Amino acid sequence: MTAICEYKPGLENIPAAQSSVSYVDGQKGILEYRGINIEELADKSTFLETTYLLIWGALPTKEELQAFEHEIRYHRRIKYRIRDMMKCFPETGHPMDALQASAAALGLFYSRRALPDPSYIRQAVVRLVAKIPTMVAAFQLMRKGNDPIQPRDDLDYSANFLYMLNEREPDPLAARIFDICLTLHAEHTMNASTFSARVTASTLTDPYAVVASAVGTLAGPLHGGANEEVIEMLEKIGSVENVRPYIENCIEHKSKIMGFGHRVYKVKDPRAPILQKLAEQLFEKFGYDKYYDIALEVERVVEEKLGHKGIYPNVDFYSGLVYRKMGIPTDLFTPIFAIARVAGWLAHWKEQLGENRIFRPTQIYTGDRGMPYVPIEER
Ligand code: CMC
């Protein structure tokens, strides 16, 4: 069989699906979920309302939203067997690995084969959206040697997650800002983890395997793992004066500056200025962070040196500063990205089930052919 188009490393510009979940204009810096601008959603919506929008394609009515929130609230608890399994994870293990294993473990408890049936889809969405934050918080407490705490039914989605993580009720501003962060990270067209989710979904395996495979893909430093590396980079730079030599050194040695660049955006990622403003609101209430000055200088120098190549801050550049100010440990930044992105993955899972054909691309073979088998003693 011959390939129908030229090979593009990283499948750049090759459509992998038809989708109506989200839209990006990388030249103008526009992101929309189901046609609604991200700035408007960040300002007016909540993460759960946005999740509903992404998955079911339209904003919920008041009754629909209340019913969805209610179901999520009562499915937050995880089975004691999953909690006990997580207790056996090494505390030095990365929380993304713990999340991948525990998301996959949900599939042990619920039916295997995916069905394009509305009640099956609803049940899977509710379980995953409700339980993923509980598993992230449980691993955090257990690796510190503590027992995980139960979700609180009187708290909203984001406030409850921060409560389970820190064992105290969060400040309302911090909870609202955290919820906006989830909205901003909920979906982003055909990125690597979403592609991974769709490929896995196309085999009709269960949604827990779909999410587990997407979590594994998100973990890498070129994707969701970049937010963690941004903070490590700012710590390494250490002062505003060190920014220019650090960036020049990266450029000279062709090493990537974390939190910059994007396959699609050739201007500043529209989520970055929103996150920047959220960071500033937190600094105003809870005190300044000297890493913000370093970050601003990094942005200035990178724009000066690499702006002509279309390299600007992406979503990961300022998100870490927001989470850091909330006292969240650096290695939880990517699991938090996953908590949000579950919404997008599940929207694509549902869409894939609706028009499914198994993914089976081709390849361009570059190896030898017709080689003899050489007996081991003659090699
Ligand atoms: N720092 C320095 N140079 C860069 C960067 C960067 N962060 N990103 C791209 N470039 C340069 C790259 O060196 C190349 O230059 P040249 O053409 O001279 O060889 C050119 O820009 C194209 O780079 P690429 O790696 O081919 O671009 P890509 O579309 O394959 O990769 C990317 C996109 C996001 C993986 C990449 O920009 C990168 O590695 N960024 C750093 C990691 C990061 O912040 N990732 C988060 C991405 S956004 C959120 C998410 O997906 O989770």
Side-chain angles (χ1 to χ4, degrees), residues 305-336:
K305 303 268 174 196
L306 296 173
H308 65 282
K309 279 193 183 180
I311 299 190
Y312 289 93
N314 59 47
V315 68
D316 289 323
F317 191 59
Y318 288 107
S319 63
L321 285 171
V322 173
Y323 299 143
R324 199 176 118 86
K325 195 71 227 171
M326 290 181 182
I328 296 173
T330 311
D331 63 1
L332 288 187
F333 296 175
T334 320
I336 288 168

PDB file of all heavy atoms in Angstrom, residues 305-336:
ATOM      1  N   LYS A 305      14.808  37.574  21.643  1.00  0.00           N
ATOM      2  CA  LYS A 305      15.711  36.662  20.913  1.00  0.00           C
ATOM      3  C   LYS A 305      14.978  35.706  19.983  1.00  0.00           C
ATOM      4  O   LYS A 305      15.536  35.288  18.970  1.00  0.00           O
ATOM      5  CB  LYS A 305      16.498  35.798  21.923  1.00  0.00           C
ATOM      6  CG  LYS A 305      17.300  36.579  22.932  1.00  0.00           C
ATOM      7  CD  LYS A 305      18.683  36.776  22.411  1.00  0.00           C
ATOM      8  CE  LYS A 305      19.496  37.674  23.320  1.00  0.00           C
ATOM      9  NZ  LYS A 305      20.698  38.172  22.670  1.00  0.00           N
ATOM     10  N   LEU A 306      13.756  35.276  20.382  1.00  0.00           N
ATOM     11  CA  LEU A 306      13.098  34.206  19.614  1.00  0.00           C
ATOM     12  C   LEU A 306      11.701  34.576  19.104  1.00  0.00           C
ATOM     13  O   LEU A 306      11.055  33.761  18.454  1.00  0.00           O
ATOM     14  CB  LEU A 306      12.986  32.924  20.471  1.00  0.00           C
ATOM     15  CG  LEU A 306      14.305  32.269  20.884  1.00  0.00           C
ATOM     16  CD1 LEU A 306      14.048  31.122  21.862  1.00  0.00           C
ATOM     17  CD2 LEU A 306      15.069  31.750  19.676  1.00  0.00           C
ATOM     18  N   GLY A 307      11.295  35.824  19.379  1.00  0.00           N
ATOM     19  CA  GLY A 307       9.960  36.266  18.941  1.00  0.00           C
ATOM     20  C   GLY A 307       9.806  36.117  17.431  1.00  0.00           C
ATOM     21  O   GLY A 307       8.734  35.760  16.939  1.00  0.00           O
ATOM     22  N   HIS A 308      10.898  36.362  16.668  1.00  0.00           N
ATOM     23  CA  HIS A 308      10.815  36.281  15.199  1.00  0.00           C
ATOM     24  C   HIS A 308      10.496  34.854  14.733  1.00  0.00           C
ATOM     25  O   HIS A 308      10.007  34.652  13.630  1.00  0.00           O
ATOM     26  CB  HIS A 308      12.128  36.749  14.561  1.00  0.00           C
ATOM     27  CG  HIS A 308      13.309  35.862  14.877  1.00  0.00           C
ATOM     28  ND1 HIS A 308      13.976  35.912  16.074  1.00  0.00           N
ATOM     29  CD2 HIS A 308      13.891  34.882  14.157  1.00  0.00           C
ATOM     30  CE1 HIS A 308      14.939  34.990  16.076  1.00  0.00           C
ATOM     31  NE2 HIS A 308      14.915  34.352  14.921  1.00  0.00           N
ATOM     32  N   LYS A 309      10.738  33.850  15.623  1.00  0.00           N
ATOM     33  CA  LYS A 309      10.421  32.454  15.261  1.00  0.00           C
ATOM     34  C   LYS A 309       9.015  32.072  15.749  1.00  0.00           C
ATOM     35  O   LYS A 309       8.627  30.915  15.656  1.00  0.00           O
ATOM     36  CB  LYS A 309      11.400  31.507  15.964  1.00  0.00           C
ATOM     37  CG  LYS A 309      12.744  31.350  15.292  1.00  0.00           C
ATOM     38  CD  LYS A 309      13.411  30.145  15.962  1.00  0.00           C
ATOM     39  CE  LYS A 309      14.785  29.880  15.486  1.00  0.00           C
ATOM     40  NZ  LYS A 309      15.340  28.708  16.192  1.00  0.00           N
ATOM     41  N   GLY A 310       8.311  33.026  16.346  1.00  0.00           N
ATOM     42  CA  GLY A 310       6.964  32.732  16.869  1.00  0.00           C
ATOM     43  C   GLY A 310       7.018  31.987  18.197  1.00  0.00           C
ATOM     44  O   GLY A 310       6.130  31.203  18.514  1.00  0.00           O
ATOM     45  N   ILE A 311       8.080  32.241  18.973  1.00  0.00           N
ATOM     46  CA  ILE A 311       8.189  31.558  20.271  1.00  0.00           C
ATOM     47  C   ILE A 311       7.826  32.518  21.411  1.00  0.00           C
ATOM     48  O   ILE A 311       8.530  33.494  21.672  1.00  0.00           O
ATOM     49  CB  ILE A 311       9.591  30.948  20.426  1.00  0.00           C
ATOM     50  CG1 ILE A 311       9.713  29.958  19.288  1.00  0.00           C
ATOM     51  CG2 ILE A 311       9.776  30.300  21.804  1.00  0.00           C
ATOM     52  CD1 ILE A 311      10.800  29.073  19.267  1.00  0.00           C
ATOM     53  N   TYR A 312       6.691  32.201  22.022  1.00  0.00           N
ATOM     54  CA  TYR A 312       6.121  33.043  23.085  1.00  0.00           C
ATOM     55  C   TYR A 312       5.689  32.138  24.233  1.00  0.00           C
ATOM     56  O   TYR A 312       5.630  30.912  24.070  1.00  0.00           O
ATOM     57  CB  TYR A 312       4.912  33.812  22.534  1.00  0.00           C
ATOM     58  CG  TYR A 312       5.314  34.886  21.558  1.00  0.00           C
ATOM     59  CD1 TYR A 312       5.350  34.626  20.186  1.00  0.00           C
ATOM     60  CD2 TYR A 312       5.691  36.149  22.007  1.00  0.00           C
ATOM     61  CE1 TYR A 312       5.748  35.605  19.281  1.00  0.00           C
ATOM     62  CE2 TYR A 312       6.089  37.137  21.108  1.00  0.00           C
ATOM     63  CZ  TYR A 312       6.116  36.856  19.750  1.00  0.00           C
ATOM     64  OH  TYR A 312       6.511  37.821  18.875  1.00  0.00           O
ATOM     65  N   PRO A 313       5.322  32.725  25.384  1.00  0.00           N
ATOM     66  CA  PRO A 313       4.896  31.870  26.510  1.00  0.00           C
ATOM     67  C   PRO A 313       3.668  31.027  26.149  1.00  0.00           C
ATOM     68  O   PRO A 313       2.757  31.506  25.476  1.00  0.00           O
ATOM     69  CB  PRO A 313       4.529  32.874  27.605  1.00  0.00           C
ATOM     70  CG  PRO A 313       5.245  34.119  27.264  1.00  0.00           C
ATOM     71  CD  PRO A 313       5.367  34.136  25.768  1.00  0.00           C
ATOM     72  N   ASN A 314       3.673  29.789  26.590  1.00  0.00           N
ATOM     73  CA  ASN A 314       2.496  28.927  26.429  1.00  0.00           C
ATOM     74  C   ASN A 314       1.796  28.797  27.788  1.00  0.00           C
ATOM     75  O   ASN A 314       2.200  29.421  28.769  1.00  0.00           O
ATOM     76  CB  ASN A 314       2.898  27.566  25.815  1.00  0.00           C
ATOM     77  CG  ASN A 314       3.924  26.832  26.662  1.00  0.00           C
ATOM     78  OD1 ASN A 314       3.777  26.735  27.876  1.00  0.00           O
ATOM     79  ND2 ASN A 314       4.965  26.307  26.015  1.00  0.00           N
ATOM     80  N   VAL A 315       0.780  27.964  27.856  1.00  0.00           N
ATOM     81  CA  VAL A 315      -0.047  27.843  29.066  1.00  0.00           C
ATOM     82  C   VAL A 315       0.772  27.455  30.298  1.00  0.00           C
ATOM     83  O   VAL A 315       0.431  27.797  31.428  1.00  0.00           O
ATOM     84  CB  VAL A 315      -1.191  26.828  28.824  1.00  0.00           C
ATOM     85  CG1 VAL A 315      -0.663  25.415  28.681  1.00  0.00           C
ATOM     86  CG2 VAL A 315      -2.257  26.886  29.908  1.00  0.00           C
ATOM     87  N   ASP A 316       1.873  26.735  30.055  1.00  0.00           N
ATOM     88  CA  ASP A 316       2.641  26.224  31.185  1.00  0.00           C
ATOM     89  C   ASP A 316       3.546  27.262  31.836  1.00  0.00           C
ATOM     90  O   ASP A 316       4.073  27.035  32.917  1.00  0.00           O
ATOM     91  CB  ASP A 316       3.501  25.028  30.741  1.00  0.00           C
ATOM     92  CG  ASP A 316       2.636  23.812  30.464  1.00  0.00           C
ATOM     93  OD1 ASP A 316       1.656  23.620  31.200  1.00  0.00           O
ATOM     94  OD2 ASP A 316       2.928  23.073  29.508  1.00  0.00           O
ATOM     95  N   PHE A 317       3.747  28.407  31.172  1.00  0.00           N
ATOM     96  CA  PHE A 317       4.744  29.337  31.711  1.00  0.00           C
ATOM     97  C   PHE A 317       4.300  29.992  33.017  1.00  0.00           C
ATOM     98  O   PHE A 317       5.069  30.084  33.964  1.00  0.00           O
ATOM     99  CB  PHE A 317       5.128  30.392  30.668  1.00  0.00           C
ATOM    100  CG  PHE A 317       6.326  31.192  31.104  1.00  0.00           C
ATOM    101  CD1 PHE A 317       7.533  30.567  31.375  1.00  0.00           C
ATOM    102  CD2 PHE A 317       6.235  32.568  31.281  1.00  0.00           C
ATOM    103  CE1 PHE A 317       8.638  31.291  31.821  1.00  0.00           C
ATOM    104  CE2 PHE A 317       7.339  33.300  31.712  1.00  0.00           C
ATOM    105  CZ  PHE A 317       8.544  32.651  31.982  1.00  0.00           C
ATOM    106  N   TYR A 318       3.051  30.459  33.076  1.00  0.00           N
ATOM    107  CA  TYR A 318       2.622  31.145  34.305  1.00  0.00           C
ATOM    108  C   TYR A 318       1.809  30.281  35.263  1.00  0.00           C
ATOM    109  O   TYR A 318       1.604  30.658  36.413  1.00  0.00           O
ATOM    110  CB  TYR A 318       1.852  32.424  33.962  1.00  0.00           C
ATOM    111  CG  TYR A 318       2.762  33.522  33.420  1.00  0.00           C
ATOM    112  CD1 TYR A 318       2.752  33.879  32.079  1.00  0.00           C
ATOM    113  CD2 TYR A 318       3.666  34.171  34.255  1.00  0.00           C
ATOM    114  CE1 TYR A 318       3.609  34.870  31.582  1.00  0.00           C
ATOM    115  CE2 TYR A 318       4.531  35.155  33.770  1.00  0.00           C
ATOM    116  CZ  TYR A 318       4.491  35.494  32.436  1.00  0.00           C
ATOM    117  OH  TYR A 318       5.339  36.458  31.958  1.00  0.00           O
ATOM    118  N   SER A 319       1.356  29.099  34.802  1.00  0.00           N
ATOM    119  CA  SER A 319       0.497  28.293  35.692  1.00  0.00           C
ATOM    120  C   SER A 319       1.254  27.855  36.955  1.00  0.00           C
ATOM    121  O   SER A 319       0.699  27.844  38.049  1.00  0.00           O
ATOM    122  CB  SER A 319      -0.074  27.082  34.950  1.00  0.00           C
ATOM    123  OG  SER A 319       0.959  26.230  34.530  1.00  0.00           O
ATOM    124  N   GLY A 320       2.524  27.510  36.779  1.00  0.00           N
ATOM    125  CA  GLY A 320       3.322  27.050  37.916  1.00  0.00           C
ATOM    126  C   GLY A 320       3.417  28.108  39.013  1.00  0.00           C
ATOM    127  O   GLY A 320       3.388  27.783  40.212  1.00  0.00           O
ATOM    128  N   LEU A 321       3.507  29.397  38.598  1.00  0.00           N
ATOM    129  CA  LEU A 321       3.624  30.465  39.607  1.00  0.00           C
ATOM    130  C   LEU A 321       2.338  30.577  40.414  1.00  0.00           C
ATOM    131  O   LEU A 321       2.359  30.866  41.615  1.00  0.00           O
ATOM    132  CB  LEU A 321       3.948  31.793  38.919  1.00  0.00           C
ATOM    133  CG  LEU A 321       5.391  31.916  38.430  1.00  0.00           C
ATOM    134  CD1 LEU A 321       5.557  33.151  37.569  1.00  0.00           C
ATOM    135  CD2 LEU A 321       6.369  31.974  39.608  1.00  0.00           C
ATOM    136  N   VAL A 322       1.206  30.326  39.734  1.00  0.00           N
ATOM    137  CA  VAL A 322      -0.089  30.362  40.434  1.00  0.00           C
ATOM    138  C   VAL A 322      -0.136  29.231  41.471  1.00  0.00           C
ATOM    139  O   VAL A 322      -0.441  29.449  42.648  1.00  0.00           O
ATOM    140  CB  VAL A 322      -1.255  30.211  39.421  1.00  0.00           C
ATOM    141  CG1 VAL A 322      -2.587  30.078  40.142  1.00  0.00           C
ATOM    142  CG2 VAL A 322      -1.280  31.385  38.447  1.00  0.00           C
ATOM    143  N   TYR A 323       0.198  28.013  41.039  1.00  0.00           N
ATOM    144  CA  TYR A 323       0.117  26.862  41.955  1.00  0.00           C
ATOM    145  C   TYR A 323       1.132  26.994  43.097  1.00  0.00           C
ATOM    146  O   TYR A 323       0.879  26.598  44.219  1.00  0.00           O
ATOM    147  CB  TYR A 323       0.347  25.551  41.193  1.00  0.00           C
ATOM    148  CG  TYR A 323      -0.666  25.286  40.095  1.00  0.00           C
ATOM    149  CD1 TYR A 323      -0.281  24.685  38.899  1.00  0.00           C
ATOM    150  CD2 TYR A 323      -1.999  25.636  40.259  1.00  0.00           C
ATOM    151  CE1 TYR A 323      -1.204  24.443  37.888  1.00  0.00           C
ATOM    152  CE2 TYR A 323      -2.934  25.406  39.257  1.00  0.00           C
ATOM    153  CZ  TYR A 323      -2.520  24.812  38.072  1.00  0.00           C
ATOM    154  OH  TYR A 323      -3.437  24.581  37.079  1.00  0.00           O
ATOM    155  N   ARG A 324       2.298  27.548  42.759  1.00  0.00           N
ATOM    156  CA  ARG A 324       3.343  27.721  43.774  1.00  0.00           C
ATOM    157  C   ARG A 324       2.856  28.649  44.891  1.00  0.00           C
ATOM    158  O   ARG A 324       3.057  28.386  46.067  1.00  0.00           O
ATOM    159  CB  ARG A 324       4.563  28.331  43.081  1.00  0.00           C
ATOM    160  CG  ARG A 324       5.877  28.201  43.806  1.00  0.00           C
ATOM    161  CD  ARG A 324       6.959  28.775  42.910  1.00  0.00           C
ATOM    162  NE  ARG A 324       7.571  29.909  43.575  1.00  0.00           N
ATOM    163  CZ  ARG A 324       8.571  29.797  44.431  1.00  0.00           C
ATOM    164  NH1 ARG A 324       9.077  28.625  44.702  1.00  0.00           N
ATOM    165  NH2 ARG A 324       9.063  30.850  45.020  1.00  0.00           N
ATOM    166  N   LYS A 325       2.162  29.720  44.485  1.00  0.00           N
ATOM    167  CA  LYS A 325       1.662  30.680  45.483  1.00  0.00           C
ATOM    168  C   LYS A 325       0.585  30.037  46.356  1.00  0.00           C
ATOM    169  O   LYS A 325       0.351  30.443  47.490  1.00  0.00           O
ATOM    170  CB  LYS A 325       1.106  31.920  44.769  1.00  0.00           C
ATOM    171  CG  LYS A 325       0.903  33.103  45.653  1.00  0.00           C
ATOM    172  CD  LYS A 325       2.215  33.718  46.093  1.00  0.00           C
ATOM    173  CE  LYS A 325       2.264  34.000  47.561  1.00  0.00           C
ATOM    174  NZ  LYS A 325       3.581  34.396  48.045  1.00  0.00           N
ATOM    175  N   MET A 326      -0.071  29.003  45.813  1.00  0.00           N
ATOM    176  CA  MET A 326      -1.094  28.306  46.614  1.00  0.00           C
ATOM    177  C   MET A 326      -0.464  27.243  47.498  1.00  0.00           C
ATOM    178  O   MET A 326      -1.173  26.493  48.162  1.00  0.00           O
ATOM    179  CB  MET A 326      -2.108  27.621  45.689  1.00  0.00           C
ATOM    180  CG  MET A 326      -2.979  28.587  44.960  1.00  0.00           C
ATOM    181  SD  MET A 326      -4.143  27.653  43.944  1.00  0.00           S
ATOM    182  CE  MET A 326      -4.981  28.991  43.164  1.00  0.00           C
ATOM    183  N   GLY A 327       0.848  27.129  47.444  1.00  0.00           N
ATOM    184  CA  GLY A 327       1.553  26.167  48.300  1.00  0.00           C
ATOM    185  C   GLY A 327       1.480  24.735  47.771  1.00  0.00           C
ATOM    186  O   GLY A 327       1.704  23.780  48.525  1.00  0.00           O
ATOM    187  N   ILE A 328       1.162  24.578  46.481  1.00  0.00           N
ATOM    188  CA  ILE A 328       1.054  23.232  45.920  1.00  0.00           C
ATOM    189  C   ILE A 328       2.446  22.749  45.513  1.00  0.00           C
ATOM    190  O   ILE A 328       3.184  23.478  44.835  1.00  0.00           O
ATOM    191  CB  ILE A 328       0.090  23.244  44.702  1.00  0.00           C
ATOM    192  CG1 ILE A 328      -1.318  23.621  45.176  1.00  0.00           C
ATOM    193  CG2 ILE A 328       0.099  21.917  43.956  1.00  0.00           C
ATOM    194  CD1 ILE A 328      -2.331  23.841  44.085  1.00  0.00           C
ATOM    195  N   PRO A 329       2.829  21.529  45.909  1.00  0.00           N
ATOM    196  CA  PRO A 329       4.158  21.038  45.534  1.00  0.00           C
ATOM    197  C   PRO A 329       4.331  20.939  44.013  1.00  0.00           C
ATOM    198  O   PRO A 329       3.374  20.621  43.295  1.00  0.00           O
ATOM    199  CB  PRO A 329       4.219  19.633  46.151  1.00  0.00           C
ATOM    200  CG  PRO A 329       3.090  19.542  47.104  1.00  0.00           C
ATOM    201  CD  PRO A 329       2.077  20.565  46.723  1.00  0.00           C
ATOM    202  N   THR A 330       5.533  21.228  43.547  1.00  0.00           N
ATOM    203  CA  THR A 330       5.808  21.320  42.108  1.00  0.00           C
ATOM    204  C   THR A 330       5.416  20.056  41.348  1.00  0.00           C
ATOM    205  O   THR A 330       4.888  20.130  40.244  1.00  0.00           O
ATOM    206  CB  THR A 330       7.314  21.605  41.904  1.00  0.00           C
ATOM    207  OG1 THR A 330       7.654  22.685  42.755  1.00  0.00           O
ATOM    208  CG2 THR A 330       7.628  21.986  40.479  1.00  0.00           C
ATOM    209  N   ASP A 331       5.659  18.880  41.930  1.00  0.00           N
ATOM    210  CA  ASP A 331       5.373  17.667  41.158  1.00  0.00           C
ATOM    211  C   ASP A 331       3.880  17.324  41.108  1.00  0.00           C
ATOM    212  O   ASP A 331       3.497  16.316  40.511  1.00  0.00           O
ATOM    213  CB  ASP A 331       6.223  16.476  41.620  1.00  0.00           C
ATOM    214  CG  ASP A 331       5.965  16.065  43.050  1.00  0.00           C
ATOM    215  OD1 ASP A 331       5.105  16.689  43.711  1.00  0.00           O
ATOM    216  OD2 ASP A 331       6.615  15.114  43.527  1.00  0.00           O
ATOM    217  N   LEU A 332       3.045  18.189  41.712  1.00  0.00           N
ATOM    218  CA  LEU A 332       1.593  18.001  41.547  1.00  0.00           C
ATOM    219  C   LEU A 332       1.028  18.869  40.421  1.00  0.00           C
ATOM    220  O   LEU A 332      -0.148  18.768  40.080  1.00  0.00           O
ATOM    221  CB  LEU A 332       0.845  18.322  42.844  1.00  0.00           C
ATOM    222  CG  LEU A 332       0.985  17.317  43.982  1.00  0.00           C
ATOM    223  CD1 LEU A 332       0.039  17.697  45.120  1.00  0.00           C
ATOM    224  CD2 LEU A 332       0.667  15.898  43.535  1.00  0.00           C
ATOM    225  N   PHE A 333       1.878  19.730  39.834  1.00  0.00           N
ATOM    226  CA  PHE A 333       1.350  20.637  38.792  1.00  0.00           C
ATOM    227  C   PHE A 333       0.791  19.835  37.608  1.00  0.00           C
ATOM    228  O   PHE A 333      -0.259  20.163  37.071  1.00  0.00           O
ATOM    229  CB  PHE A 333       2.433  21.577  38.266  1.00  0.00           C
ATOM    230  CG  PHE A 333       2.996  22.555  39.268  1.00  0.00           C
ATOM    231  CD1 PHE A 333       4.056  23.380  38.913  1.00  0.00           C
ATOM    232  CD2 PHE A 333       2.470  22.666  40.552  1.00  0.00           C
ATOM    233  CE1 PHE A 333       4.587  24.288  39.814  1.00  0.00           C
ATOM    234  CE2 PHE A 333       2.995  23.567  41.463  1.00  0.00           C
ATOM    235  CZ  PHE A 333       4.060  24.376  41.095  1.00  0.00           C
ATOM    236  N   THR A 334       1.503  18.811  37.188  1.00  0.00           N
ATOM    237  CA  THR A 334       1.030  18.056  36.013  1.00  0.00           C
ATOM    238  C   THR A 334      -0.198  17.197  36.357  1.00  0.00           C
ATOM    239  O   THR A 334      -1.141  17.150  35.563  1.00  0.00           O
ATOM    240  CB  THR A 334       2.178  17.240  35.386  1.00  0.00           C
ATOM    241  OG1 THR A 334       3.360  18.036  35.406  1.00  0.00           O
ATOM    242  CG2 THR A 334       1.868  16.882  33.948  1.00  0.00           C
ATOM    243  N   PRO A 335      -0.252  16.525  37.528  1.00  0.00           N
ATOM    244  CA  PRO A 335      -1.504  15.863  37.895  1.00  0.00           C
ATOM    245  C   PRO A 335      -2.693  16.827  37.922  1.00  0.00           C
ATOM    246  O   PRO A 335      -3.810  16.450  37.563  1.00  0.00           O
ATOM    247  CB  PRO A 335      -1.225  15.288  39.289  1.00  0.00           C
ATOM    248  CG  PRO A 335       0.248  15.086  39.311  1.00  0.00           C
ATOM    249  CD  PRO A 335       0.835  16.176  38.460  1.00  0.00           C
ATOM    250  N   ILE A 336      -2.460  18.088  38.323  1.00  0.00           N
ATOM    251  CA  ILE A 336      -3.560  19.061  38.326  1.00  0.00           C
ATOM    252  C   ILE A 336      -3.984  19.372  36.884  1.00  0.00           C
ATOM    253  O   ILE A 336      -5.172  19.490  36.577  1.00  0.00           O
ATOM    254  CB  ILE A 336      -3.141  20.330  39.112  1.00  0.00           C
ATOM    255  CG1 ILE A 336      -3.101  19.990  40.604  1.00  0.00           C
ATOM    256  CG2 ILE A 336      -4.078  21.496  38.838  1.00  0.00           C
ATOM    257  CD1 ILE A 336      -2.451  21.025  41.474  1.00  0.00           C
TER     258      ILE A 336
END
